[in-house]
Amino acid sequence: MTLAGTDRHQQLMWLMRLIVHRCSSGGSQSSGHLREVAEAFKGSEEEQAHTVERVGLQLMDAVVDFRGHLVKIVDSQKDLAVKALAAEMCARLDHGGAGDVEHFRQRFILDVGDALGLNQAHVQSARLDEAAQARFPPLTTSELLQAKARFLELFSVESVLDAFVSEVRSGPDGPAAHGSIASAFSQWAAERVLHEYSACQLEAHARAELDGELALALLETLFLGQPGCTASEASRGKEWIRAILGPSERPEEAPA
């Protein structure tokens, strides 16, 4: 095993124990996590390592708020773009087979991760991939510029919005939805609308009516404080959206 004796190997062993421990206690996503890890062990060593790292890090941060869920979606979409880009560059530079693609991707993440705002856990993992650094030289300035330009073509806001809408509308409901993005969204939204709608009502509306345009207005409100247009325009006549997008005002506390 090429990773044996490295710092990354120790990290992987720790994460694997974490995965087994967390998933053995059950939960709505435990079987999915275990299946994902098992499937990875049909592939290359680097694929196994990457999957163990990703699943383990997800489990370490298993309970997140709405913003955290969206950050995960962004990270996931960036990861897909990086995978596609690394495969393209590896083929163009004639860097060998599937195993080489995985190592080249780690080399790529190490070189451009900070500039592209990639997940720092992934960047740290790339730093520990000694085989990737030994096998591939750093990207040249020209290659870096080309890679950044191509990354911006592969990664888009639309892909993030589509993933957000899909996860909300098709995710688990009922008790199984605890900890899901739909549940986190409804809690965040309920805090903004005060008593106009309950969290359950907001979640039901989102599952039935959320689309890309509404999702964009919600993300603008979450990250920028307000949508790019008025709440009335952005809500398109949907009162539950208008209530969320409006100013989050709470009654002032009476002086003591």
Side-chain angles (χ1 to χ4, degrees):
M1 183 176 184
T2 58
L3 292 175
T6 65
D7 290 340
R8 192 182 186 203
H9 181 230
Q10 295 300 316
Q11 179 191 48
L12 288 169
M13 293 295 291
W14 186 88
L15 287 171
M16 192 66 191
R17 286 193 289 269
L18 172 75
I19 292 169
V20 173
H21 174 71
R22 291 285 180 87
C23 291
S24 65
S25 61
S28 61
Q29 297 181 322
S30 293
S31 60
H33 288 315
L34 290 174
R35 188 181 308 111
E36 188 174 359
V37 171
E39 287 293 325
F41 274 78
K42 297 178 182 178
S44 68
E45 183 183 67
E46 186 56 34
E47 289 174 314
Q48 298 168 26
H50 179 67
T51 301
V52 168
E53 286 167 341
R54 180 165 49 78
V55 173
L57 291 169
Q58 284 179 352
L59 290 172
M60 288 175 65
D61 193 23
V63 180
V64 295
D65 60 10
F66 181 43
R67 180 187 291 266
H69 275 286
L70 290 172
V71 169
K72 283 187 174 184
I73 288 177
V74 171
D75 283 344
S76 176
Q77 293 301 311
K78 285 185 176 181
D79 193 39
L80 290 174
V82 165
K83 283 183 178 179
L85 178 52
E88 288 180 7
M89 293 187 67
C90 200
R92 187 171 71 249
L93 298 173
D94 194 22
H95 280 326
D100 286 321
V101 172
E102 289 298 322
H103 283 297
F104 180 77
R105 183 168 61 83
Q106 294 292 79
R107 171 78 257 183
F108 178 82
I109 290 173
L110 180 61
D111 289 344
V112 303
D114 291 333
L116 298 180
L118 301 184
N119 187 303
Q120 282 301 303
H122 295 173
V123 176
Q124 178 60 26
S125 174
R127 290 194 181 101
L128 295 173
D129 190 343
E130 298 171 358
Q133 296 174 53
R135 191 172 304 181
F136 303 109
L139 297 178
T140 65
T141 300
S142 175
E143 289 169 344
L144 285 172
L145 291 174
Q146 292 175 20
K148 290 176 184 177
R150 179 60 176 146
F151 175 84
L152 293 176
E153 294 175 356
L154 294 169
F155 173 76
S156 67
V157 173
E158 287 75 16
S159 65
V160 172
L161 296 176
D162 288 345
F164 168 40
V165 172
S166 176
E167 287 197 26
V168 169
R169 298 196 64 160
S170 62
D173 56 10
H178 178 69
S180 70
I181 189 171
S183 176
F185 160 74
S186 65
Q187 293 299 322
W188 169 78
E191 291 177 1
R192 291 186 60 83
V193 303
L194 299 179
H195 303 298
E196 289 185 64
Y197 295 89
S198 69
C200 289
Q201 289 173 321
L202 290 166
E203 184 173 336
H205 277 299
R207 288 183 182 279
E209 302 176 34
L210 188 64
D211 60 24
E213 290 184 15
L214 297 176
L216 177 59
L218 290 170
L219 266 62
E220 288 174 335
T221 301
L222 174 65
F223 290 106
L224 303 178
Q226 60 185 24
C229 54
T230 67
S232 296
E233 292 171 333
S235 63
R236 304 201 323 258
K238 300 183 187 300
E239 284 302 308
W240 66 279
I241 284 285
R242 183 208 55 75
I244 297 170
L245 300 182
S248 179
E249 297 177 352
R250 297 183 179 278
E252 294 184 4
E253 294 184 4

